[in-house]
Structures are given as C-alpha cells and as structure tokens.
Amino acid sequence: MYKVLLENIDLEKLNSELLPLYENKSPEDHIWLQKDYKCLFDLHYTNILLDSLNMFNSRIMTLKGKQCYSWHRDQTPRVHIPFITNQSCLFVLEDKSFTLPQGSAYLIDTTKLHTALNGNKTFLRRHIVGMTNEMV
C-alpha cells in the first residue's frame, strides 16, 4: 500500500511556514512549492524536508469536505506529507482504503488506480504531494 519514509515531522514548524501561503487562497488552488527540484519559497524547514525526501514538482493540495479526486493513475509514484488531516480523510489505492496520519511522509505507488476523499462536512484536508524517482 505505502511505505513510511520519515516519521516525527515537526508539524508546528511545517504549518507555521506553510500557513501564509494558503490562508488566503481558494481550496481549489494548488500551491506549487517546487519547479523540478528548485524550491520556489524561502521555507527553511519545508525545503530541507523536500530535499531530504528527494521530492520534485511538489505542491500543497487541498481537498474540501464532501469531495474526492477522480479515479486515476499517475505516471510516477508520489510522496505524501499530510499536515492537516483526520480519520475521515481516506486514500484509496486499488481495492484498499486507509488513512495517512499526520507527522510522517509516505511513498505511495500512485501509478496504480487511486483517489482520495474527504468525508468531513467542512474540514479542509491538506497534503504536500511531490513526485519522486523512488520505487515502492
């Protein structure tokens, strides 16, 4: 299903750096953090995290309550860093569904059919999602 790449991510540091980027944006707007491997913002903790996980083309993805993404495949695996989520936010990979708890980074083989859903009414689920050349 997924592989835990890193645990004990400092969510307080991460949120304090990222909040100014998304607090006045529409949830439909993905916020790009990297172009290829180049970090686009001066975010000390976040950029170290992205670099240490060999991520590229990373962005903040927000999923509103009562919504899901289309059933799809990506061309490469993805690293997910959930930084705002709860038990009502699910990731579905082929025929398995699971939660991705905050505070860790996960390598997921998104070349397989998958989606994500937010089963909350108003809660906004936020993940950093980036490409990787790592294999699951």
Side-chain angles (χ1 to χ4, degrees):
M1 286 191 300
Y2 61 82
K3 177 180 172 185
V4 177
L5 296 177
L6 181 67
E7 296 180 300
N8 302 315
I9 292 172
D10 189 332
L11 293 172
E12 190 173 319
K13 281 184 185 177
L14 194 61
N15 277 305
S16 69
E17 287 185 345
L18 297 177
L19 179 63
L21 297 180
Y22 66 75
E23 67 183 338
N24 295 317
K25 297 275 188 180
S26 166
E28 287 83 19
D29 294 336
H30 297 313
I31 300 162
W32 290 93
L33 300 173
Q34 293 174 303
K35 172 74 170 145
D36 295 319
Y37 288 94
K38 182 180 187 291
C39 294
L40 301 177
F41 299 97
D42 185 18
L43 306 170
H44 181 74
Y45 183 75
T46 303
N47 294 344
I48 289 172
L49 193 59
L50 299 177
D51 289 343
S52 72
L53 293 166
N54 298 314
M55 294 171 69
F56 61 97
N57 291 334
S58 300
R59 59 192 168 165
I60 298 172
M61 296 183 71
T62 301
L63 187 58
K64 295 189 324 187
K66 299 190 286 184
Q67 290 196 345
C68 68
Y69 295 122
S70 65
W71 189 240
H72 69 283
R73 297 175 199 264
D74 298 326
Q75 292 186 357
T76 63
R78 300 288 193 261
V79 175
H80 278 251
I81 304 171
F83 65 99
I84 300 176
T85 191
N86 64 28
Q87 291 296 318
S88 295
C89 297
L90 298 174
F91 197 95
V92 181
L93 182 67
E94 294 185 314
D95 62 347
K96 305 275 190 262
S97 64
F98 48 92
T99 59
L100 295 171
Q102 298 177 146
S104 294
Y106 305 91
L107 176 62
I108 304 172
D109 187 359
T110 55
T111 64
K112 297 177 180 177
L113 281 169
H114 68 281
T115 187
L117 65 93
N118 182 345
N120 296 279
K121 288 185 179 180
T122 58
F123 181 85
L124 296 176
R125 166 200 182 262
R126 296 190 199 275
H127 285 206
I128 296 174
V129 179
M131 296 174 136
T132 182
N133 290 317
E134 302 290 324
M135 297 309 294
V136 181

